[in-house]
Every structure is written in C-alpha cells, then in structure tokens.
C-alpha cells in the first residue's frame, strides 16, 4: 500500500470531501474504515469520502498495512453582513439586512432585542452573488414608531450557524 493523496495524514480543510489515492497489490482488497473500495486492475485507486464539520478519522488498510488520517473540516459560516454604516431612520421605516453565509446555515439578525430571520434569496436572484458554498440571505427590520426624540435602537448583529459552528458580525447601529 502506497498512499499518494492526501499528502499529509493530519490536516485541516474547508472542502466538503477528501480524496484518497494510492497504489496496492491488485490481488488483495483495500478498505477505508472497514469498507472495501473500488480499485482498478492496474493496482491504483481513487476514493472520495464526505467530511462532516469537525474531526473526521479514516483508516486505509491493505495486506496488514494501515495508514490513519485525521482530517478536520472547518468552514467559514458567515462571510459578511450589511448595512455596516450607522443608520438614522424615521420611526416605522423598514431596513433591509443582508448577509453572505454558508449555503445550509441558519441565519438571523438581532436588533434591540428583536430577532429577524434572514431567508435565502431565490436561485435566480442569488446566481450573480454565488461564491463557492456561500449564498445571500436577507430580511427586513421595521424601526419602532417615532417618539419625538432620537432613539438609540442599537446595533444589528447578524449570526449564522451550521452544524454547531456559529459566527456573528456586528453591523450598523440604528438611531
């Protein structure tokens, strides 16, 4: 058994899969985590495995030889949020909050104790904003009614969570 990929037995990646490539004796099976994999008659194999967020362990075995891998998948859950500049608004006005986050994340904003769910933009609208596994999420916040005095409502905090990994960005403050 001679492994060519991955190059290291312990590494961190943001990729959703890892590829195992190597050479072996065609007369004997190759297994990854106990599962026999497809091989070719020439003595080579390539096998992809999905990665969960966090630590993933793989053991490649052939003819009594074992190569163990620890692959840690870390992803950026939240890329950006807007608006970022301070906002002064009239009471009852609507403010659009936008975030770029991991495609399968739960995304929300909080403003002055109010939670606003941010929804994934539709495919056609989102097509121009695609960046790998990131998508655009948006939601609306309505400022409280006017009181005659300037109200310091607070900052917009956008949060995204995926498989237990949570990130937040503090965006614009609202008055």
């Amino acid at each position: 058994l001679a492994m060519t990929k991955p190059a290291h037995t312990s590494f961190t990646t943001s990729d959703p899969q890892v590829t195992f490539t190597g050479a072996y004796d065609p007369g004997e099976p190759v297994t990854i985590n106990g599962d026999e994999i497809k091989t070719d008659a020439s003595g080579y194999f390539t096998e992809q495995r999905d990665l969960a967020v966090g630590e993933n362990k793989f053991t490649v075995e052939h003819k009594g030889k074992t190569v163990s891998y620890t692959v840690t998948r870390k992803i950026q859950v939240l890329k950006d949020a807007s608006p970022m500049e301070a906002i002064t608004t009239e009471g009852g006005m609507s403010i659009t909050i936008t975030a770029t986050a991991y495609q399968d994340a739960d995304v929300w904003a909080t403003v002055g104790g109010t939670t606003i769910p941010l929804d994934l933009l539709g495919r056609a609208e989102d097509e121009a904003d695609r960046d790998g596994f990131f998508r655009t999420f948006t939601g609306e916040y309505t400022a409280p009614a006017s009181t005659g005095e300037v109200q310091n409502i607070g900052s917009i905090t956008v949060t995204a969570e995926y498989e237990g990994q949570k990130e937040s960005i503090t965006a614009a403050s609202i008055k």
Side-chain angles (χ1 to χ4, degrees), residues 42-118:
S42 301
Y44 297 100
F45 65 89
T46 298
E47 177 79 4
Q48 285 193 325
R49 292 293 169 107
D50 292 335
L51 295 173
V53 173
E55 189 175 271
N56 297 263
K57 293 196 174 279
F58 298 96
T59 303
V60 182
E61 294 182 84
H62 176 64
K63 288 178 58 173
K65 183 176 180 185
T66 299
V67 181
S68 296
Y69 292 89
T70 301
V71 183
T72 302
R73 180 175 181 220
K74 289 189 177 183
I75 58 168
Q76 180 182 12
V77 180
L78 182 60
K79 196 171 190 180
D80 59 42
S82 68
M84 291 300 289
E85 302 294 322
I87 298 171
T88 302
T89 185
E90 299 291 325
M93 296 296 292
S94 180
I95 298 167
T96 300
I97 301 168
T98 304
T100 305
Y102 190 74
Q103 64 187 357
D104 296 323
D106 291 321
V107 186
W108 66 93
T110 54
V111 180
T114 301
T115 300
I116 303 101
L118 301 187

Side-chain angles (χ1 to χ4, degrees), residues 78-84 87 95-101 107-109 116-121 126 129 135-141 156-159 169-172:
L78 182 60
K79 196 171 190 180
D80 59 42
S82 68
M84 291 300 289
I87 298 171
I95 298 167
T96 300
I97 301 168
T98 304
T100 305
V107 186
W108 66 93
I116 303 101
L118 301 187
D119 297 318
L120 184 63
L121 278 178
D126 196 31
D129 296 323
R135 300 292 181 263
T136 302
F137 294 78
T138 188
E140 297 288 326
Y141 171 73
I156 300 168
T157 301
V158 176
T159 304
I169 293 175
T170 300

